[in-house]
Amino acid sequence: MFQDFKLVGDRPVAIQVKEYVKRLIIKGALQADQKLPSTREMSSLLKVSRNTVIAAYEGLEDDGFTYTIPGKGSYVTAMVGHLAADNEGTAWQIDWKARMNEYAISAVELDMMKQGIRAEKGTISFTSIAPDEQLFDMGDVRRAFMDRMAIEGQVLLNYGYAKGYKPLIDYLMRYMENKGVDLSGKDMVITNGFTEGFDIVLSALRPSTRRGAAICENPTHHTAIKNLKLQGFEITGIPMRNDGMDVEQLEAVLHKQNSFDLAYLTPSYHNPTGIVMSPAKRSAVMKLLMHYQIPVIEDGFNEELRYSGAHVAPLIATVGQGNGVIYIGSFSKVLFPGLRVGWVLGDKALIDNLESMKRARTIHTSTIDQSILYQYLLNGNFDKYVKKARMEYKRKYELTKACCEAHLPEAQLSGDGGLHLFLTFPSEVNTRQLLEACIEQGVIFTPGDKFFIQEGTGTNTLRLGFSRVTDENIVRGIQIIGKQARRFLET
Amino acid sequence: MFQDFKLVGDRPVAIQVKEYVKRLIIKGALQADQKLPSTREMSSLLKVSRNTVIAAYEGLEDDGFTYTIPGKGSYVTAMVGHLAADNEGTAWQIDWKARMNEYAISAVELDMMKQGIRAEKGTISFTSIAPDEQLFDMGDVRRAFMDRMAIEGQVLLNYGYAKGYKPLIDYLMRYMENKGVDLSGKDMVITNGFTEGFDIVLSALRPSTRRGAAICENPTHHTAIKNLKLQGFEITGIPMRNDGMDVEQLEAVLHKQNSFDLAYLTPSYHNPTGIVMSPAKRSAVMKLLMHYQIPVIEDGFNEELRYSGAHVAPLIATVGQGNGVIYIGSFSKVLFPGLRVGWVLGDKALIDNLESMKRARTIHTSTIDQSILYQYLLNGNFDKYVKKARMEYKRKYELTKACCEAHLPEAQLSGDGGLHLFLTFPSEVNTRQLLEACIEQGVIFTPGDKFFIQEGTGTNTLRLGFSRVTDENIVRGIQIIGKQARRFLET
């Protein structure tokens, strides 16, 4: 015994010894009331210092794995609770798949990541629309963490509030006010990114007695489609034009059925089309939804990644003191996705409900994440970063656009900003088949059909995310897509 | 104009100027195509350097709030999307309360924090069972953050995996193995603390077609009761004896109705009673639940805060390769609640479903939190901290116990560890009334009835959390409770 002890480099040795002996006890290699080798013996057996063994033995006793008989040594305690092991216990097999309900099963079926395309090493991948981490200024993040720790210290590590970290809420309320939002009668709850905010809002608005009904742009963000379906909503998609959703269609739909529970809209840098809804459409759409009293869930997606043109106010800014719009914001798309921080801004009474739901689900969002983000914003690092990121992404955006125009002239382009472009090919081009062909050439992208409400539509579209692709690969990748696309166009 | 500009100390001045001008534009004080004062004028008007104004003006143009006419100056852009404001928009009022579904309404009704007792300053409060942040070693936390940042850098801030941060998962799998768990056929998903793990598991096991049925100890953790109710489960409580739940009762209940969807158990340092289930009961309970094929959700609550006696293995360790137990762990109770990190350990197939549900709800748990916790554990800080915390809490535990025995002899005490004691008075003592009396004397505690399944039971019980109360206040507070209790006992 004790031959198989191996030291790993990066952990305190006493702890490694303690855990090694624990495992021997757990496995039954050391029996109850068996005497452990003396600290001197053990230190020569394991080739570690005797003080290390002494510390390890203390730890074992602290953890209740051994007891000491003064003058005699350390003995293994009779382990509690291993009775059933390796007998009846083993027999206990539950068929979990059979016990999963519809929600759990759909969650897997609708889980894009599990149907995702596996890219081999060296593949040029246009599938990601996550920010390029090379742009992250780690020095500023470290400083933000250290500054906040120095100011608040230990309280940052104890329980926080479900509503969110107060200084961050105050900052973001001001931030939204600077986008033109009238804050009177409104309040905010911090969530784990956009996704939790959206999921909680849907959970609150889902009708108890019947299936829910939602309107959204078609195509739209696939995570939104997934969560709407998971929450049991029937989705009615309104086709996109190059200046936003088709208002005539919206009017027709509302005229036919006015019992929608909500509308989900992404007015700026819409995902996947990248379209910014025109001022005229914004007011037309809002007037209609107002008339039919259909609450709007506004996705603030990528609002910060404006490359040209005037500042565009969010929809929630257009209703003044009205409370019909719920705005869900997040910096994840432009800033740090790893910090899971988003916010829901809306009517006070509504936020009060959402706060309790948030508490019931995750108690509160990481205070470390919230306080780092707050300090980072306060220090003015965000403005500095966005300036840098905009320049870099704008350059890549224009390069990608130019390459598409050169090598994919048949495809109709859309995208006024953000980290991706959306392409619509003539109907004979099936982008799933195109993808198959491109994979063989070492290039992948996101087929557009997954953004469409009805299965089997949008089969001639694709999304090109350029944020994490090098210039060379943007050029090469789009050349390859073009070459492959041509084959489909000729046939 | 420009008279009301006020500098705050802790932000870059250029950003403060930029935001000040933005607000003037948003409010309409500066109109479209109006010329801004020259940078020289503005610098004297706002009493800031001219370079600051130049930087602020650049920022305004970057953000699309102004445009420059070379040689002439900066002009306000026509704001997009303010059309509806202060007209129809204002008229749009939605009655959100009326639109909330049962789930959202219950979430508020069952939200303890919103019915919580407000303690005035100077009150001696026994309501908290959160750790005492004074024990947190901030140096080690800072080091863990810096170490991890140095090793992984920017990737920590980009998207992570729904399943969790791989190094942390590997560490925790090993950690659970050291508690005697047979890992074969099992897997793990990281969640935002215990609460998200529990909520996701319930969402997966809730029957689609009928109400769910759950068994648990009575009393039990009130958050668990809340989430079970919110997920539509009927709860059957099994009374607690001083060595764990009443097995005869459990047997009787199961004999009568064997269609339970799950059992929720806290075998060690049970909340609120603090009882550790005896070895005999553990095997008896497990044999019964195995026989009726009722899955167990095990709450690893406070397992680390053992003050005496032998190491107690979790229930999941007692079933060997069996897959009938889902273990939910968290360090929040003993370590840092502010880091929202917990884990669900169970059958591979089950975890695969939970992973997709986790992704649909919050994408993934904060990578910063996970990586700080991982490095902190790896550095051996946790063992060091628990040793220190155990000593301190054990001392307070014994002091609290001694005070209760001295001043509350009529109350039956329970609690073998953890951060609180549970008291059961003779039936004539109503602890809500007792609380009323104590509040006037500046002492508060948690009435025990909220931990019981049926309303109006456990009215003679209370929970005393001592982790954040000073020694002096423990003594004084319990004296006061004793004095007040006596009045109820005499009448």
Side-chain angles (χ1 to χ4, degrees):
Chain A
M1 197 153 38
F2 309 116
Q3 303 316 308
D4 58 341
F5 176 71
K6 270 174 209 52
L7 269 179
V8 299
D10 54 358
R11 288 205 75 192
V13 179
I15 290 172
Q16 295 188 54
V17 172
K18 182 179 82 172
E19 289 176 353
Y20 172 71
V21 177
K22 269 192 192 180
R23 277 194 295 283
L24 293 175
I25 296 171
I26 294 288
K27 293 205 192 86
L30 290 165
Q31 293 289 327
D33 302 317
Q34 184 175 335
K35 184 175 183 305
L36 293 184
S38 74
T39 51
R40 184 176 282 99
E41 291 163 339
M42 190 62 111
S43 85
S44 65
L45 280 164
L46 302 184
K47 303 179 185 54
V48 299
S49 84
R50 189 173 168 204
N51 286 338
T52 304
V53 177
I54 291 168
Y57 277 22
E58 278 176 15
L60 284 166
E61 188 162 5
D62 284 340
D63 294 352
F65 280 77
T66 62
Y67 59 94
T68 310
I69 300 181
K72 301 191 79 188
S74 295
Y75 293 79
V76 176
T77 353
M79 292 289 293
V80 176
H82 279 270
L83 334 115
D86 352 298
N87 47 48
E88 309 94 335
T90 327
W92 194 9
Q93 292 299 331
I94 282 182
D95 177 359
W96 287 106
K97 286 220 166 296
R99 295 199 182 222
M100 294 294 99
N101 57 28
E102 290 162 16
Y103 174 76
I105 292 161
S106 316
V108 176
E109 289 169 352
L110 297 170
D111 189 344
M112 224 67 78
M113 298 302 276
K114 287 186 176 169
Q115 284 93 50
I117 319 125
R118 295 269 156 278
E120 286 170 30
K121 201 130 182 44
T123 305
I124 300 174
S125 171
F126 292 102
T127 55
S128 171
I129 60 169
D132 174 7
E133 63 235 24
Q134 301 307 323
L135 294 172
F136 297 164
D137 36 24
M138 300 308 282
D140 291 343
V141 175
R142 279 199 207 85
R143 201 166 311 107
F145 175 80
M146 287 311 198
D147 289 355
R148 213 60 223 158
M149 276 288 181
I151 294 164
E152 300 210 37
Q154 285 125 322
V155 292
L156 283 184
L157 297 179
N158 218 325
Y159 280 112
Y161 299 97
K163 197 169 180 303
Y165 179 61
K166 182 79 166 53
L168 181 63
I169 292 177
D170 296 343
Y171 186 96
L172 291 174
M173 289 291 265
R174 181 75 166 245
Y175 178 79
M176 293 308 294
E177 194 175 29
N178 288 346
K179 287 171 176 279
V181 178
D182 182 334
L183 296 177
S184 49
K186 298 190 178 68
D187 203 352
M188 182 180 284
V189 59
I190 302 290
T191 58
N192 296 355
F194 166 86
T195 305
E196 188 187 35
F198 189 59
D199 195 49
I200 289 181
V201 169
L202 294 183
S203 304
L205 296 180
R206 180 190 57 227
S208 310
T209 54
R210 55 170 175 82
R211 289 203 82 193
I215 294 189
C216 62
E217 291 129 340
N218 190 26
T220 191
H221 185 19
H222 51 62
T223 299
I225 296 177
K226 174 174 79 174
N227 285 30
L228 283 163
K229 285 182 177 172
L230 283 177
Q231 298 278 0
F233 282 87
E234 296 279 358
I235 310 173
T236 304
I238 309 296
M240 286 293 276
R241 302 282 164 251
N242 55 23
D243 61 346
M245 62 160 55
D246 182 325
V247 176
E248 290 65 35
Q249 284 253 20
L250 175 65
E251 187 152 22
V253 165
L254 292 174
H255 189 72
K256 214 162 87 265
Q257 174 199 355
N258 56 24
S259 65
F260 288 97
D261 300 291
L262 61 92
Y264 164 72
L265 302 176
T266 311
S268 302
Y269 313 107
H270 171 264
N271 185 8
T273 67
I275 288 168
V276 176
M277 206 191 299
S278 68
K281 282 220 164 157
R282 284 167 187 254
S283 66
V285 168
M286 290 303 285
K287 284 197 178 75
L288 273 169
L289 296 171
M290 229 180 272
H291 173 72
Y292 288 99
Q293 288 288 301
I294 298 166
V296 174
I297 302 176
E298 176 175 21
D299 184 344
F301 182 72
N302 274 354
E303 228 163 51
E304 279 63 29
L305 290 180
R306 224 191 76 279
Y307 298 145
S308 58
H311 161 77
V312 183
L315 295 176
I316 191 170
T318 69
V319 295
Q321 298 189 5
N323 70 353
V325 181
I326 305 167
Y327 179 96
I328 307 180
S330 157
F331 289 131
S332 300
K333 311 298 182 307
V334 47
L335 199 50
F336 309 130
L339 295 184
R340 305 300 309 142
V341 180
W343 65 92
V344 182
L345 173 65
D347 176 77
K348 259 197 168 55
L350 170 71
I351 296 297
D352 184 60
N353 281 74
L354 300 184
E355 179 194 352
S356 289
M357 295 167 70
K358 162 75 181 173
R359 182 175 286 113
R361 290 173 174 219
T362 56
I363 302 190
H364 67 74
T365 294
S366 162
T367 314
I368 298 280
D369 282 9
Q370 293 185 76
S371 57
I372 290 178
L373 181 59
Y374 165 67
Q375 190 67 47
Y376 183 89
L377 292 165
L378 187 72
N379 291 351
N381 297 322
F382 181 66
D383 297 64
K384 199 180 83 192
Y385 168 81
V386 168
K387 197 178 167 64
K388 182 176 72 176
R390 259 194 212 131
M391 270 173 55
E392 171 64 5
Y393 290 137
K394 185 180 184 189
R395 199 180 52 68
K396 281 194 172 181
Y397 162 80
E398 278 158 0
L399 173 63
T400 309
K401 208 167 161 195
C403 291
C404 289
E405 282 157 355
H407 304 295
L408 298 165
E410 309 80 0
Q412 179 202 316
L413 273 182
S414 69
D416 303 332
L419 303 178
H420 65 273
L421 281 171
F422 194 69
L423 281 68
T424 305
F425 286 89
S427 53
E428 64 262 34
V429 179
N430 178 305
T431 51
R432 294 240 168 220
Q433 292 167 10
L434 177 59
L435 177 61
E436 288 311 317
C438 290
I439 288 174
E440 290 171 20
Q441 308 298 318
V443 178
I444 62 172
F445 52 77
T446 307
D449 56 354
K450 69 167 61 165
F451 300 101
F452 285 79
I453 312 298
Q454 289 82 8
E455 299 248 332
T457 60
T459 53
N460 58 327
T461 63
L462 65 83
R463 188 183 72 178
L464 281 185
F466 53 74
S467 51
R468 299 168 84 180
V469 190
T470 64
D471 294 9
E472 304 67 39
N473 283 341
I474 288 175
V475 178
R476 267 189 46 229
I478 295 174
Q479 274 174 348
I480 290 169
I481 298 172
K483 208 175 276 125
Q484 296 306 316
R486 201 126 301 98
R487 289 175 34 212
F488 289 87
L489 288 157
E490 279 146 10
T491 56
Chain B
M1 197 153 39
F2 308 115
Q3 302 316 311
D4 59 341
F5 176 70
K6 271 175 206 51
L7 269 179
V8 300
D10 55 359
R11 289 205 76 191
V13 178
I15 290 173
Q16 295 188 53
V17 172
K18 180 178 83 172
E19 290 176 353
Y20 172 71
V21 177
K22 268 192 194 181
R23 277 194 296 283
L24 294 175
I25 294 171
I26 293 288
K27 294 205 191 84
L30 289 166
Q31 294 291 327
D33 303 316
Q34 185 174 337
K35 183 175 183 308
L36 293 184
S38 72
T39 52
R40 184 177 280 101
E41 292 164 339
M42 190 61 111
S43 86
S44 67
L45 279 164
L46 302 184
K47 303 178 185 54
V48 299
S49 85
R50 191 173 167 206
N51 286 340
T52 304
V53 177
I54 290 167
Y57 277 22
E58 277 176 15
L60 285 165
E61 187 162 4
D62 285 339
D63 294 353
F65 280 77
T66 61
Y67 59 95
T68 310
I69 299 180
K72 300 190 77 184
S74 294
Y75 294 78
V76 176
T77 352
M79 292 288 293
V80 177
H82 278 270
L83 336 114
D86 351 301
N87 47 48
E88 309 93 337
T90 326
W92 194 9
Q93 293 298 331
I94 283 182
D95 177 1
W96 287 106
K97 286 219 165 298
R99 295 198 182 225
M100 293 295 101
N101 56 28
E102 292 161 15
Y103 174 76
I105 292 161
S106 316
V108 176
E109 289 170 353
L110 297 169
D111 189 344
M112 223 68 78
M113 298 303 276
K114 287 185 175 168
Q115 284 94 51
I117 319 125
R118 294 271 156 277
E120 286 169 30
K121 198 127 184 49
T123 305
I124 300 175
S125 172
F126 292 101
T127 56
S128 171
I129 59 168
D132 174 6
E133 63 235 25
Q134 301 308 322
L135 294 172
F136 298 162
D137 36 26
M138 300 306 283
D140 292 343
V141 175
R142 277 199 208 84
R143 199 166 313 106
F145 175 81
M146 287 313 200
D147 289 354
R148 214 59 222 159
M149 276 287 182
I151 295 165
E152 301 209 39
Q154 285 126 323
V155 292
L156 283 183
L157 298 178
N158 218 325
Y159 279 112
Y161 299 97
K163 197 169 180 302
Y165 178 62
K166 182 77 167 52
L168 181 63
I169 291 177
D170 296 342
Y171 186 97
L172 291 174
M173 289 291 265
R174 181 75 168 247
Y175 178 80
M176 293 308 293
E177 194 176 28
N178 289 345
K179 287 171 177 279
V181 178
D182 182 333
L183 297 177
S184 47
K186 298 189 179 70
D187 203 350
M188 181 181 285
V189 59
I190 302 291
T191 58
N192 297 353
F194 166 86
T195 305
E196 188 187 35
F198 189 59
D199 195 50
I200 289 180
V201 169
L202 295 183
S203 305
L205 296 180
R206 180 188 58 227
S208 309
T209 54
R210 55 172 175 82
R211 287 203 82 194
I215 295 189
C216 62
E217 292 129 340
N218 189 25
T220 191
H221 186 19
H222 50 61
T223 299
I225 296 176
K226 174 174 79 173
N227 285 31
L228 282 162
K229 285 183 178 173
L230 282 176
Q231 298 278 359
F233 282 87
E234 296 278 0
I235 310 173
T236 304
I238 308 297
M240 286 294 276
R241 301 283 166 251
N242 54 22
D243 62 346
M245 63 161 53
D246 182 325
V247 177
E248 290 65 35
Q249 283 252 20
L250 176 65
E251 189 153 19
V253 165
L254 292 174
H255 189 72
K256 213 159 90 267
Q257 175 199 353
N258 56 23
S259 66
F260 288 98
D261 300 290
L262 61 90
Y264 164 72
L265 302 176
T266 312
S268 301
Y269 313 109
H270 172 263
N271 185 10
T273 67
I275 288 168
V276 176
M277 205 192 299
S278 68
K281 283 220 164 154
R282 283 167 188 255
S283 66
V285 168
M286 290 303 284
K287 284 199 179 75
L288 274 169
L289 296 171
M290 231 180 272
H291 173 73
Y292 288 99
Q293 288 287 301
I294 298 167
V296 174
I297 301 176
E298 175 175 22
D299 184 344
F301 183 72
N302 274 356
E303 227 164 53
E304 278 64 29
L305 290 180
R306 225 191 75 278
Y307 298 145
S308 58
H311 161 76
V312 183
L315 295 176
I316 192 170
T318 68
V319 295
Q321 297 188 5
N323 71 355
V325 180
I326 304 168
Y327 179 96
I328 307 180
S330 156
F331 289 132
S332 299
K333 310 300 181 307
V334 48
L335 198 51
F336 309 130
L339 295 186
R340 306 300 310 140
V341 179
W343 65 93
V344 183
L345 173 66
D347 176 77
K348 257 195 170 56
L350 170 71
I351 297 297
D352 184 60
N353 281 77
L354 300 184
E355 178 194 352
S356 289
M357 295 167 69
K358 162 74 180 173
R359 182 176 286 114
R361 289 172 175 220
T362 55
I363 302 190
H364 67 74
T365 295
S366 161
T367 313
I368 298 280
D369 282 9
Q370 293 186 77
S371 57
I372 289 178
L373 181 59
Y374 166 67
Q375 190 66 46
Y376 183 88
L377 292 164
L378 188 71
N379 290 351
N381 297 322
F382 181 67
D383 296 65
K384 198 180 83 190
Y385 167 81
V386 167
K387 197 178 165 67
K388 182 176 73 177
R390 260 196 211 130
M391 271 174 55
E392 170 64 5
Y393 290 138
K394 184 180 185 191
R395 200 180 51 69
K396 281 193 171 179
Y397 163 81
E398 279 160 359
L399 173 62
T400 309
K401 207 167 161 196
C403 291
C404 289
E405 283 156 356
H407 304 295
L408 299 165
E410 308 80 1
Q412 179 203 317
L413 272 182
S414 69
D416 304 330
L419 303 177
H420 64 274
L421 281 171
F422 194 69
L423 281 68
T424 305
F425 286 90
S427 53
E428 64 262 34
V429 179
N430 177 306
T431 50
R432 294 237 169 222
Q433 293 167 10
L434 176 59
L435 176 61
E436 288 310 316
C438 290
I439 288 175
E440 290 170 20
Q441 308 298 318
V443 179
I444 61 172
F445 52 77
T446 308
D449 57 353
K450 68 167 61 162
F451 300 100
F452 285 79
I453 314 296
Q454 289 82 10
E455 297 248 331
T457 60
T459 54
N460 59 328
T461 64
L462 66 83
R463 189 183 71 179
L464 280 186
F466 53 74
S467 50
R468 300 169 84 180
V469 190
T470 64
D471 293 10
E472 306 66 40
N473 283 343
I474 288 174
V475 177
R476 268 190 44 232
I478 295 174
Q479 274 175 348
I480 290 169
I481 298 172
K483 208 175 274 121
Q484 297 305 318
R486 201 130 297 96
R487 289 174 37 211
F488 289 86
L489 287 157
E490 280 149 8
T491 55

